[in-house]
Amino acid sequence: MDVLVTGAGGRVGTAITDHLSDDEYDFTLLDVTEVDGPGETVVADVRDYEAIRPSFEGQDAVVHLALIREGDEFGADSRGVGWSTDLQSNLEGINNVYEAAIDAGVESVLFASSNHAVGMVEVRNSPAVYHDEGIVAGHDEPHRPDSRYGLSKSYGEDLGRLAAEAHGIRFYGLRIGAVRAPRYDHPYGDAERGVDAGRWERGSDAYEEQVARMKGLWQSRRDLAHLVECCLQDDTVEWDHFYGVSANDRRWLDDLRYARETIGYDSQDNGEEWNAPPEPSERE
């Protein structure tokens, strides 16, 4: 299967290429810088339609991960509602990718949406949401973006539905929870990263809150790759979205049964199985 991955050099892109066989998938890796990975690398910016359009020819699927973040106003913690250059850039990139996929006759588009498309569930209910107190966003949770970033993900899902219903392309919105680089690929990852950056000490209240959050939101790199593969191999969905989380006991984003029944996603990991971070020598 021929698969184009935009933003291929990031955490999610490398999780895909690290865990999916390059015997099964012929990857084209598109990013703004050269990517060290399997398959052909294309250096281009998704904001430049003419530059990216040739890479869509002959592809069976596109996985759109590219994110433009050049300012501070686009972060998931920003509640601003005004226009911003990063919002404009990301909407432009989404439109270009979908238009190119339709024009090239690509069969399916997978879009890296985010938990932030429904992020107000967390914002309005933290910290209780981290402690398995019955707060759940199911598959039918409407868009509740928590930021311009979340808004761009909601837009990408809605535009994907339009592309599917109007142009016959299959669309999958992946509402990714928290996928991290290999060193921090565990539910203690964000807490340990804060220790490494000097933001807090191990065992502090801030550390423990990060652990509690990640034990609900974490998706292991191999589970993320499995979710992507389930979508790539599916031929039944017209358009849909799925939460990108592992089978964490305290998850508040919960459509795992639906994802299993619809596309066969069967998570291998659970954040509650971790009682401590791995030793530094075991993290790479």
Side-chain angles (χ1 to χ4, degrees), residues 40-250:
E40 177 189 2
T41 293
V42 175
V43 177
D45 190 318
V46 293
R47 290 172 290 186
D48 186 343
Y49 183 84
E50 297 303 324
I52 67 171
R53 174 62 183 83
S55 298
F56 287 73
E57 287 299 327
Q59 302 293 344
D60 298 304
V62 173
V63 184
H64 179 39
L65 312 175
L67 178 70
I68 298 98
R69 182 174 291 169
E70 299 175 338
D72 295 332
E73 75 282 357
F74 197 64
D77 293 329
S78 172
R79 306 287 173 244
V81 298
W83 190 248
S84 75
T85 55
D86 281 350
L87 180 58
Q88 177 179 341
S89 292
N90 282 283
L91 300 189
E92 183 178 10
I94 291 167
N95 279 79
N96 283 345
V97 167
Y98 293 9
E99 182 180 7
I102 292 167
D103 192 51
V106 175
E107 294 179 5
S108 61
V109 170
L110 283 61
F111 171 58
S113 186
S114 170
N115 68 93
H116 294 285
V118 293
M120 274 298 170
V121 174
E122 177 183 357
V123 172
R124 298 290 294 272
N125 294 285
S126 65
V129 71
Y130 307 146
H131 299 286
D132 198 19
E133 296 189 12
I135 300 162
V136 175
H139 184 77
D140 58 352
E141 185 73 29
H143 285 155
R144 295 180 64 186
D146 57 9
S147 55
R148 294 183 185 94
Y149 171 73
L151 181 64
S152 75
K153 300 304 185 180
S154 299
Y155 176 86
E157 290 185 15
D158 288 341
L159 190 65
R161 179 172 182 174
L162 173 60
E165 294 190 327
H167 299 280
I169 200 165
R170 290 196 301 277
F171 176 79
Y172 306 80
L174 309 183
R175 294 180 177 176
I176 298 170
V179 174
R180 299 296 183 248
R183 176 177 176 83
Y184 298 112
D185 185 24
H186 52 83
Y188 288 79
D190 283 7
E192 287 294 306
R193 186 169 57 178
V195 171
D196 293 343
R199 294 198 298 272
W200 48 65
E201 295 183 357
R202 191 172 291 114
S204 65
D205 289 346
Y207 180 97
E208 295 300 333
E209 182 163 300
Q210 289 297 315
V211 172
R213 180 176 189 268
M214 283 287 283
K215 283 197 171 185
L217 198 58
W218 176 58
Q219 185 176 38
S220 68
R221 292 172 66 82
R222 67 174 178 173
D223 277 348
L224 179 281
H226 173 52
L227 177 60
V228 168
E229 183 162 42
C230 288
C231 296
L232 291 174
Q233 295 296 330
D234 176 73
D235 62 2
T236 64
V237 167
E238 180 182 20
W239 61 269
D240 213 335
H241 61 263
F242 302 96
Y243 289 124
V245 294
S246 289
N248 309 314
D249 289 349
R250 66 176 76 181

Side-chain angles (χ1 to χ4, degrees), residues 4-34:
L4 171 65
V5 183
T6 74
R11 289 194 304 265
V12 175
T14 56
I16 294 169
T17 55
D18 284 351
H19 288 275
L20 297 190
S21 170
D22 54 5
D23 292 329
E24 177 75 19
Y25 301 98
D26 186 3
F27 291 109
T28 299
L29 309 177
L30 188 150
D31 213 318
V32 292
T33 59
E34 194 79 18

